Amino acid sequence: MNSAFAETELMKERFAKLLLGEDMSGGGNGVSTALAISNAITNLSASVFSQLWKLQPLSPQKKAIWYREMEWFLCISDSIVELVPSVQNFPGGGTFEIMVPQPRSDLFVNVPALKKIDAMLLNILDGFSNSEFCYVERGIVVSGDDDTKNFMLSLTSGSETSSVRLEEKWWLPFPKVPQKGLSENARKKLQQCRECTNQILKAAMAINSNVLAEMEIPDTYLDSLPKSAKSCLGETLHGYLAADKFSPDGFMDRLDSSSEFTSLEVANQIEAAAHIWNQKYIRKYMPGGGRSTTSSSSWGGKKLKSSAAEIPKCKILAKRAENVLHSLRIRFPGLPQTSLDMSKIQHNRDVGRAIIESYSRVMESLAFNIVARIEDLLYVDDATKQRAAAESLYTAQGRLSCSFAKQRWISPTAPFSFDHSGELVSYHHDSGTIPQSPRNSHSREREPLDQALEKLTF
């Protein structure tokens, strides 16, 4: 009874905060309801999944909190409807048409899909119970477990790539696998989970990008854009985009070889330039040209001032910029939100879109983190197996060298030995003589020794 009462009070507090726009003082300085719901879902995700540093099931307490509070936020979408015409029958005969409510189409399609994605990701985490691997805190590794500490040092000093990989994630616990690595079944399961989670990640990204594309571009963002796309991009990026021979892949290759750019900076600059060119096209070629309210502008079937066969250069450059932006998002799936995306979320007033955007964003983040943890574990497993193979090879070489050395120290009862020249000498105990073997002859006793020497040569 007390738990039900506490849950009811908590639900009242959550909805009161949403209605007041996160301004609990009641002073009217809160944000919009759409932004309040978006922030609430984001904060809930941060409190539940913020420390997803290990591949292990979510605790029952956190799972209960997630399901309970997400159900509260999603029930708001049940009241968001659209009116559609429907034909009704009179009791005495005849028909008439009325408008009836039904769930809005985007919510009707996306919310159930996101719930399924949510359940699949939590099921993947639940599958990591009773695993062959475990995790060790890095501070504990430094002061204990010499084997794990030496292994981490070998990874760090092994190559520049592995060193950077470990140093970039210094806050994460270190995955520990058996000395000979994971079993084939465990590794196959990890690879299957990675493939499944990658598909889930793509689905969440598609939902998020679609709902962001449907949101209106805020006037504040358009007002903040410079007059010229060249001043926004700079000489280098503008030269790449305006080149006669252009391809998105070639553009991406040039960016990879240039260290002065980061992916998010390039995405912000190219996205801004695309909208500058689109606005220029609308003002110049569209009758009564005004500002576009969505991320992509269409021809709309309207006549251009130029000939129909000629495509304006600003439209070509805008299309190039959009293609490059799409390539950036594919190459960097963990790319943070651009300035335009954050501006859309901040100024959005549609509660339904806010729910879809925030829910898909937190699912995208969860799927990305699971994939990253799986790849870290597979990386450590590969390194462990390589180390175990090297150690076994080194041990085998040492044993073979030791056995070869022992053969040179022959006891008096041995049937053969070596002279100073390295030739095989046979002993005849009955006569006491030591006959020399011919220097150019090859006895049968020498063949196993030659084979052993050949095996030691790499």
Side-chain angles (χ1 to χ4, degrees):
M1 187 67 180
N2 292 332
S3 61
F5 178 76
E7 183 175 331
T8 303
E9 291 299 316
L10 181 62
M11 182 177 63
K12 290 180 180 179
E13 180 184 348
R14 292 287 188 271
F15 281 108
K17 192 173 182 180
L18 294 179
L19 292 173
L20 294 174
E22 301 179 347
D23 181 17
M24 301 303 289
S25 65
N29 297 321
V31 298
S32 65
T33 305
L35 182 57
I37 292 177
S38 178
N39 291 340
I41 294 177
T42 304
N43 294 336
L44 175 62
S45 172
S47 64
V48 174
F49 303 116
S50 60
Q51 294 186 348
L52 186 63
W53 297 347
K54 304 177 182 179
L55 291 175
Q56 61 184 13
L58 203 64
S59 65
Q61 295 81 6
K62 287 189 174 183
K63 189 182 293 186
I65 291 173
W66 172 254
Y67 280 135
R68 181 185 63 206
E69 299 199 17
M70 277 305 300
E71 197 63 34
W72 295 345
F73 296 137
L74 293 179
C75 73
I76 300 173
S77 63
D78 297 337
S79 302
I80 302 175
V81 297
E82 58 186 1
L83 297 176
V84 295
S86 175
V87 177
Q88 302 290 331
N89 295 321
F90 281 114
T95 59
F96 63 99
E97 187 177 275
I98 62 172
M99 303 297 289
V100 295
Q102 71 175 16
R104 208 170 73 182
S105 57
D106 57 342
L107 293 170
F108 182 75
V109 171
N110 290 319
V111 171
L114 290 171
K115 284 184 177 181
K116 187 174 182 179
I117 287 175
D118 189 350
M120 292 173 66
L121 290 177
L122 293 183
N123 285 336
I124 289 175
L125 288 178
D126 290 339
F128 290 114
S129 58
N130 301 324
S131 301
E132 296 181 5
F133 57 89
C134 61
Y135 288 88
V136 181
E137 299 295 334
R138 298 193 181 234
I140 298 176
V141 170
V142 173
S143 59
D145 198 350
D146 293 336
D147 291 338
T148 307
K149 180 169 62 177
N150 293 333
F151 178 58
M152 287 182 63
L153 291 175
S154 66
L155 282 182
T156 307
S157 59
S159 65
E160 184 178 354
T161 305
S162 59
S163 177
V164 171
R165 185 186 184 98
L166 288 177
E167 289 177 0
E168 286 181 348
K169 302 178 180 181
W170 57 267
W171 67 90
L172 294 175
F174 187 80
K176 186 177 180 182
V177 299
Q179 291 184 353
K180 294 184 179 180
L182 298 172
S183 64
E184 290 299 323
N185 290 334
R187 186 174 178 87
K188 185 177 180 180
K189 178 183 176 182
L190 279 174
Q191 292 172 341
Q192 290 175 348
C193 289
R194 181 178 61 179
E195 295 301 321
C196 180
T197 311
N198 264 323
Q199 297 301 318
I200 295 174
L201 174 61
K202 292 178 182 178
M205 290 175 62
I207 294 174
N208 188 262
S209 61
N210 287 338
V211 71
L212 282 173
E214 292 174 357
M215 292 183 181
E216 294 184 356
I217 302 176
D219 290 338
T220 54
Y221 176 80
L222 296 176
D223 293 336
S224 65
L225 296 178
K227 300 296 183 182
S228 170
K230 189 173 184 179
S231 61
C232 175
L233 291 171
E235 291 287 344
T236 305
L237 289 179
H238 187 271
Y240 290 165
L241 284 173
D244 294 335
K245 295 182 179 180
F246 171 82
S247 68
D249 293 335
F251 184 88
M252 296 298 297
D253 293 339
R254 292 183 180 181
L255 285 183
D256 289 343
S257 62
S258 178
S259 60
E260 61 178 306
F261 300 114
T262 64
S263 55
L264 183 59
E265 289 177 357
V266 171
N268 284 326
Q269 293 172 359
I270 292 178
E271 193 169 42
H275 287 290
I276 292 173
W277 283 319
N278 276 327
Q279 293 300 315
K280 181 179 179 181
Y281 166 76
I282 291 172
R283 288 192 302 266
K284 189 173 182 180
Y285 295 99
M286 304 284 285
R291 289 184 172 180
S292 63
T293 57
T294 58
S295 297
S296 59
S297 60
S298 61
W299 293 78
K302 299 182 179 181
K303 294 182 179 180
L304 302 180
K305 292 183 179 180
S306 58
S307 62
E310 180 184 355
I311 301 178
K313 185 177 180 180
C314 57
K315 189 65 178 178
I316 296 175
L317 294 176
K319 188 63 177 178
R320 288 181 178 181
E322 291 171 1
N323 291 336
V324 169
L325 192 61
H326 181 68
S327 300
L328 271 173
R329 294 186 186 278
I330 293 177
R331 183 166 296 190
F332 303 101
L335 186 70
Q337 289 180 326
T338 61
S339 300
L340 177 58
D341 293 340
M342 291 187 291
S343 181
K344 285 182 175 182
I345 294 171
Q346 184 179 0
H347 293 88
N348 174 48
R349 295 295 183 269
D350 191 312
V351 175
R353 287 176 179 170
I355 292 174
I356 298 174
E357 191 282 325
S358 56
Y359 198 6
S360 61
R361 174 161 39 87
V362 298
M363 288 297 99
E364 178 184 337
S365 176
L366 177 60
F368 180 81
N369 287 333
I370 292 176
V371 171
R373 299 294 82 78
I374 293 176
E375 289 180 348
D376 290 342
L377 182 58
L378 292 175
Y379 172 78
V380 172
D381 180 53
D382 289 336
T384 303
K385 288 182 178 178
Q386 291 176 5
R387 183 193 183 197
E391 287 179 351
S392 63
L393 183 62
Y394 179 78
T395 303
Q397 289 179 0
R399 288 177 179 175
L400 193 57
S401 299
C402 183
S403 63
F404 174 67
K406 286 182 179 179
Q407 289 179 6
R408 297 181 63 90
W409 297 90
I410 304 300
S411 63
T413 59
F416 59 89
S417 182
F418 293 89
D419 63 0
H420 294 290
S421 62
E423 294 293 333
L424 186 67
V425 178
S426 299
Y427 288 89
H428 296 270
H429 297 287
D430 53 351
S431 62
T433 60
I434 308 177
Q436 296 285 337
S437 62
R439 184 172 296 274
N440 294 328
S441 64
H442 299 278
S443 62
R444 294 181 180 179
E445 291 83 2
R446 191 170 181 174
E447 291 178 359
L449 186 60
D450 291 338
Q451 294 176 3
L453 287 172
E454 289 177 359
K455 291 180 181 178
L456 284 175
T457 305
F458 292 91

